[in-house]
Structure formats: structure tokens, C-alpha cells
């Protein structure tokens, strides 16, 4: 595509007039990119900080949204209908209860994401809608480590075909070469869904690799094997 066509597309997406200069990357991000941190009482403080830092480096409009009230409403609805209130495993619940409470949070994040994607332009006095980006990777899909109708159900999943091992390498490269140093902190942090209660010291107790029973390095072997005849 020609430079003129790309420039035209950028102006259209950023709602700029034909005679307006093209924005620098972080200003363009502010026009087209909104990030939501959808935390609960099970979310770690450091994760919240990293999300804010990265959004600031990119230039995205960032919002910190707590969804605890939504989770509590669904649990209360279930308890009112069945007379049974599910508990996390660390609180004496069964595996089924524990998994259901995690899935509620994961699915609500996607519901909230689509709500904001549809209505934020209206809030800002703009037309149209936003697309929801997902963050599921191919390793987790192959392992089945995912929740139906969570981030796997986004409009676009930019890393859906990428191995976690390759993704971590790209994050390190991006931190060094793209001007986003907080990516190094993201890469160094143990991957976690943060859907189970925090430890007594306030630290995140749940990690993806423990949940799956294998490391991402081991899991990436599945990705390579699927390509072999």
C-alpha cells in the first residue's frame, strides 16, 4: 500500500482532517487505543502498576476498573436460586467451585470490555465503536488452559498464533528497542490469571504454570509438534 493510502487510513481512524499533520505514535495511540485494567480483590498491586506504566508509555487512554461488584452479584444470584454459595478451594471449596469462581471473573472481564468498546465513543461524543483486543496465546489454546467467552472471544487476538516463549522474547526485544521499558517488567513477572485469592502477605498465589502442570517452555513443544507431518 502506498504511503498516501496509509496516511489516509490513519487520518480516518484518528478522525483528522485531510490538512492536519499526522500525529506521532503516542498521540496516535491516544486517538485509537483505550486500555482497561479489569481488576478484582484477587489482582496483584504490581500487575496494576505495570498496566498503568505500559499504557502511559504507549500513549493509550487508560482506565482502572474494579469488577468485584459484578462478581459478587452473580455469586449472590446463584446462591439465591440454589441456596448454595460457591467457595474458593483455599476456603474449603471443591475443584468445581474453585473453577467456576475463576470463570465468572474471566467472562465478566470480556462482557465489560465489550460494553466499554461499544459505549466509550458515545461517552466521548464520537461515532462508531471500538474493537476489543484479546491476549490468549497459542500454547494456552493447545493445552486447553482457557475460559470460553473470556479473552479468547475478543474481536481480534494479535498474539493468538504466537507461542508464549516467542512472545516473551519479543517483549524483551521491545523493551530494549521500541522505547517501552515496562515490557521488561511484564516479561519478568510470572504469568498468572490472578483469579484466585491472594496469599496472606498480599502476593499473587496463583501462577499459570502451576495450574497447567508444565512450564511454557515445555508447552511450546506442543506447538512445534503440531507443525510436523
Amino acid at each position: 500500500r502506498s504511503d498516501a493510502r496509509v496516511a489516509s487510513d490513519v487520518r480516518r481512524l484518528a478522525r483528522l482532517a485531510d490538512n492536519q499533520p499526522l500525529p506521532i505514535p503516542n498521540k496516535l495511540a491516544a486517538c485509537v487505543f483505550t486500555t482497561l485494567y479489569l481488576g478484582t480483590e484477587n489482582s496483584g498491586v504490581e500487575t496494576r502498576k505495570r498496566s498503568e506504566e505500559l499504557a502511559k508509555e504507549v500513549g493509550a487512554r487508560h482506565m482502572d476498573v474494579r469488577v468485584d461488584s459484578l462478581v459478587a452479584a452473580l455469586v449472590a444470584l446463584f446462591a439465591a436460586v440454589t441456596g448454595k454459595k460457591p467457595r474458593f478451594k483455599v476456603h474449603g471449596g471443591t475443584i468445581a467451585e474453585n473453577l467456576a469462581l475463576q470463570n465468572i471473573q474471566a467472562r465478566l472481564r470480556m462482557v465489560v470490555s465489550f460494553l466499554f468498546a461499544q459505549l466509550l465513543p458515545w461517552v466521548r461524543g464520537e461515532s462508531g465503536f471500538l474493537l476489543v483486543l484479546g491476549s490468549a496465546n497459542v500454547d494456552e489454546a493447545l493445552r486447553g488452559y482457557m475460559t470460553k467467552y473470556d479473552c479468547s472471544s475478543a474481536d481480534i487476538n494479535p498474539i493468538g498464533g504466537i507461542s508464549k516463549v516467542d512472545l516473551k522474547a519479543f517483549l524483551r526485544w521491545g523493551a530494549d528497542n521500541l522505547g517501552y521499558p515496562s515490557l521488561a517488567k511484564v516479561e519478568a513477572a510470572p504469568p498468572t490469571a490472578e483469579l484466585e485469592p491472594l496469599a496472606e502477605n498480599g502476593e499473587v498465589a496463583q501462577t499459570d504454570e502451576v495450574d497447567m502442570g508444565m512450564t511454557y517452555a515445555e508447552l511450546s513443544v506442543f506447538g512445534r509438534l503440531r507443525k510436523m507431518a
Side-chain angles (χ1 to χ4, degrees), residues 25-43:
N26 64 334
K27 297 299 182 182
L28 175 60
C31 294
V32 301
F33 194 27
T34 297
T35 53
L36 299 179
Y37 181 78
L38 301 172
T40 68
E41 61 184 1
N42 303 320
S43 303

Side-chain angles (χ1 to χ4, degrees), residues 85-98 101 197:
K85 184 176 181 179
R87 297 174 297 171
F88 284 104
K89 189 175 180 180
V90 295
H91 298 152
T94 63
I95 293 177
E97 293 171 72
N98 194 67
L101 289 173

Side-chain angles (χ1 to χ4, degrees), residues 161-221:
I162 302 176
S163 165
K164 190 82 164 187
V165 173
D166 293 336
L167 179 61
K168 287 171 72 67
F170 177 74
L171 291 177
R172 292 192 296 269
W173 181 88
D176 295 334
N177 297 279
L178 297 181
Y180 306 135
S182 63
L183 287 178
K185 298 180 182 178
V186 174
E187 189 277 331
T192 172
E194 296 192 350
L195 298 174
E196 294 190 53
L198 301 175
E200 291 184 0
N201 60 1
E203 296 294 324
V204 175
Q206 179 185 28
T207 63
D208 293 351
E209 292 182 329
V210 171
D211 277 356
M212 292 187 295
M214 61 176 62
T215 66
Y216 277 106
E218 293 169 337
L219 190 54
S220 67
V221 175

Side-chain angles (χ1 to χ4, degrees), residues 8-161:
S8 175
D9 287 344
V10 169
R11 288 192 173 91
R12 176 173 55 84
L13 291 172
R15 296 180 173 86
L16 300 174
D18 291 341
N19 60 348
Q20 287 183 274
L22 295 177
I24 60 176
N26 64 334
K27 297 299 182 182
L28 175 60
C31 294
V32 301
F33 194 27
T34 297
T35 53
L36 299 179
Y37 181 78
L38 301 172
T40 68
E41 61 184 1
N42 303 320
S43 303
V45 174
E46 292 303 315
T47 310
R48 177 175 280 105
K49 289 181 181 178
R50 287 192 295 269
S51 69
E52 184 177 0
E53 290 175 6
L54 181 56
K56 185 177 297 184
E57 290 172 2
V58 172
R61 288 186 273 190
H62 184 69
M63 307 177 76
D64 191 331
V65 181
R66 293 292 294 262
V67 296
D68 290 297
S69 59
L70 303 181
V71 176
L74 279 183
V75 172
L77 172 65
F78 181 85
V81 173
T82 66
K84 303 274 285 186
K85 184 176 181 179
R87 297 174 297 171
F88 284 104
K89 189 175 180 180
V90 295
H91 298 152
T94 63
I95 293 177
E97 293 171 72
N98 194 67
L99 187 58
L101 289 173
Q102 293 183 69
N103 288 340
I104 287 173
Q105 298 167 75
R107 290 177 179 133
L108 279 174
R109 288 174 181 171
M110 188 51 54
V111 172
V112 173
S113 294
F114 274 105
L115 173 65
F116 276 73
Q118 188 169 6
L119 290 182
L120 276 180
W122 167 72
V123 170
R124 297 164 179 167
E126 302 168 351
S127 60
F129 55 89
L130 303 176
L131 294 175
V132 176
L133 303 184
S135 60
N137 61 72
V138 69
D139 291 338
E140 293 166 350
L142 289 173
R143 176 66 173 77
Y145 184 68
M146 57 184 292
T147 299
K148 289 180 65 177
Y149 310 117
D150 70 340
C151 66
S152 61
S153 301
D155 291 316
I156 302 174
N157 191 4
I159 63 172

